[in-house]
Amino acid sequence: MANTYTPCPDVRFFLSLNFTSIIYRPLTQFEVNISITWTVLLTAILIPNALLVGVICFKRSLWVYSSVLVLSLCIVNILFCFLYILPIKIMAITNSIHPFVNVYCQLSYNVIQFAFICCMNFHICFISLEKFIAITSPFWYNRVDVYKSVMFISILLICWILPVFVAFLPLIIGWWRICPYFCLMSEIRQNRKIGLQAWHIFWAFLMFLLPTVITIVLYVRIFLIAKDHVNRIRTENQVNSVSTSPPFGLKAVKTVAIVVGVYVLFQTPYNIYQVFNVLDKTFLSQKDKLYFREWLFYFASWNCVASPLIYGYFNKNLRNGVLLLFRRCKTAVTGTNTSITILT
């Protein structure tokens, strides 16, 4: 038996009936407010992420595994701004007579959004894995090794390719079909409700629960290892009557606690709402769902601002690179002003 799908509307049919509002619809006040608030967030995301990308790219001493992972995360955040926030939230693209716009509109809501969020969370998860390896196997981590480079490249490929592949999976297996002349996916009719519930629960697991659990477990292990290391050094110092400063491990634990805490704070409400919305369609009215989901996702997206700020501040090399850049800019500006003063 052939699969049947929900019908694909066609904007050309509505235009032939003179229903031009389906394309040339003015924005509501809510959509205007959304556009303004997302513009603020886009600016807030671009500034710290672009700054870290520039610092890491132009300072060769920062071309190490930990910094490259942060660089990759910053690139994801910047692409999220230009490929999702700008066209969907600020420009508010919708139905069009051009198939490309309609296809991009459908992919943005059903594929691109989930792929980017999952990619960001995977990066945060693998950054914790990198810190765990650095603390548990410092000699192997600091050694130049081909297998280590292959492992690191594999981690980067997983961070980028797996979320994109899974996001496109419903299209690949035939659950969804693209409607070229309307911003609406056509969905398979057989077991549609059960399939949507299973899909959204799976996405919540892959996009949030799995990386969150792995990140927390790794950071707890880092904390226990660092604590044991501190206790052993303290015991040796008491025997030898020597006082030393706390080791690097405690600072890493502090960074870890802030990273995990901020990540969970921003991401948890939206993902909990997604699961409740799928399991119980009646717990909120349709209008309240629209507002609630929009603002929860907006709140969750602020993690794109918090992540580079946290990693840039607590990573000494990154922090020094940023401060050096600011000092050079200040020197350049001061030198320019001095030259202008002399000439006048």
Side-chain angles (χ1 to χ4, degrees):
M1 180 179 177
N3 293 329
T4 58
Y5 293 84
T6 55
C8 269
D10 193 327
V11 294
R12 296 172 298 181
F13 170 75
F14 293 102
L15 290 177
S16 67
L17 299 177
N18 205 27
F19 291 155
T20 57
S21 60
I22 199 166
I23 295 180
Y24 307 108
R25 179 181 60 84
L27 296 178
T28 64
Q29 185 59 47
F30 174 71
E31 290 172 329
V32 172
N33 295 337
I34 287 296
S35 179
I36 294 172
T37 54
W38 279 96
T39 302
V40 173
L41 178 58
L42 180 139
T43 306
I45 292 174
L46 287 179
I47 292 174
N49 284 281
L51 183 63
L52 280 187
V53 168
V55 169
I56 295 172
C57 288
F58 292 106
K59 193 173 182 182
R60 194 175 182 85
S61 61
L62 292 175
W63 294 1
V64 294
Y65 295 123
S66 57
S67 298
V68 171
L69 272 174
V70 175
L71 170 67
S72 182
L73 175 61
C74 292
I75 292 174
V76 175
N77 293 336
I78 293 172
L79 291 177
F80 178 63
C81 288
F82 289 112
L83 297 181
Y84 181 78
I85 295 178
L86 182 61
I88 299 300
K89 298 300 183 180
I90 298 177
M91 298 174 62
I93 65 171
T94 180
N95 300 313
S96 172
I97 59 174
H98 304 290
F100 172 78
V101 177
N102 292 314
V103 171
Y104 192 84
C105 179
Q106 295 168 65
L107 292 178
S108 296
Y109 285 108
N110 297 281
V111 175
I112 295 176
Q113 173 189 345
F114 294 107
F116 271 116
I117 298 299
C118 188
C119 187
M120 296 171 196
N121 294 347
F122 272 33
H123 274 82
I124 293 175
C125 176
F126 281 114
I127 287 174
S128 66
L129 176 63
E130 183 269 337
K131 291 183 180 296
F132 177 75
I133 295 174
I135 289 180
T136 56
S137 305
F139 296 106
W140 180 83
Y141 179 82
N142 293 318
R143 187 179 61 189
V144 178
D145 189 86
V146 175
Y147 296 107
K148 186 176 67 173
S149 300
V150 170
M151 184 193 72
F152 182 75
I153 293 173
S154 301
I155 286 175
L156 285 178
L157 291 177
I158 290 172
C159 286
W160 284 91
I161 296 176
L162 182 60
V164 175
F165 172 76
V166 177
F168 276 96
L169 192 59
L171 288 169
I172 296 172
I173 64 178
W175 280 7
W176 299 341
R177 280 186 177 177
I178 297 290
C179 295
Y181 288 100
F182 208 87
C183 182
L184 180 69
M185 284 279 190
S186 176
E187 300 171 348
I188 192 169
R189 291 184 182 273
Q190 288 87 344
N191 301 319
R192 180 185 176 194
K193 182 178 179 181
I194 297 176
L196 284 175
Q197 289 180 344
W199 176 246
H200 281 86
I201 292 174
F202 170 74
W203 254 121
F205 171 77
L206 181 69
M207 184 174 66
F208 173 71
L209 186 60
L210 180 63
T212 301
V213 170
I214 293 176
T215 301
I216 292 175
V217 169
L218 289 174
Y219 279 146
V220 168
R221 287 288 300 145
I222 291 172
F223 171 77
L224 294 177
I225 292 171
K227 183 180 178 181
D228 179 67
H229 186 55
V230 169
N231 290 336
R232 282 190 286 107
I233 290 179
R234 189 173 296 165
T235 302
E236 293 175 1
N237 291 339
Q238 288 176 353
V239 173
N240 299 325
S241 299
V242 178
S243 59
T244 60
S245 58
F248 173 77
L250 288 182
K251 188 175 182 180
V253 169
K254 183 180 178 181
T255 307
V256 161
I258 295 177
V259 170
V260 174
V262 172
Y263 166 74
V264 171
L265 174 67
F266 283 124
Q267 295 285 336
T268 303
Y270 173 73
N271 286 279
I272 291 178
Y273 164 79
Q274 284 290 85
V275 174
F276 271 104
N277 184 43
V278 170
L279 296 178
D280 185 6
K281 294 287 186 181
T282 61
F283 83 105
L284 282 175
S285 66
Q286 196 64 32
K287 184 178 180 181
D288 291 338
K289 283 181 182 179
L290 175 64
Y291 294 162
F292 207 58
R293 181 185 182 279
E294 185 65 40
W295 293 120
L296 283 179
F297 182 63
Y298 177 77
F299 180 71
S301 298
W302 275 94
N303 192 55
C304 300
V305 181
S307 298
L309 291 176
I310 292 172
Y311 290 124
Y313 178 78
F314 284 101
N315 187 310
K316 183 179 179 181
N317 294 328
L318 288 178
R319 185 173 69 248
N320 291 339
V322 172
L323 292 176
L324 179 61
L325 177 64
F326 279 126
R327 283 196 292 267
R328 287 181 177 177
C329 292
K330 183 179 179 181
T331 303
V333 172
T334 305
T336 304
N337 293 337
T338 304
S339 301
I340 294 174
T341 303
I342 293 173
L343 290 174
T344 55

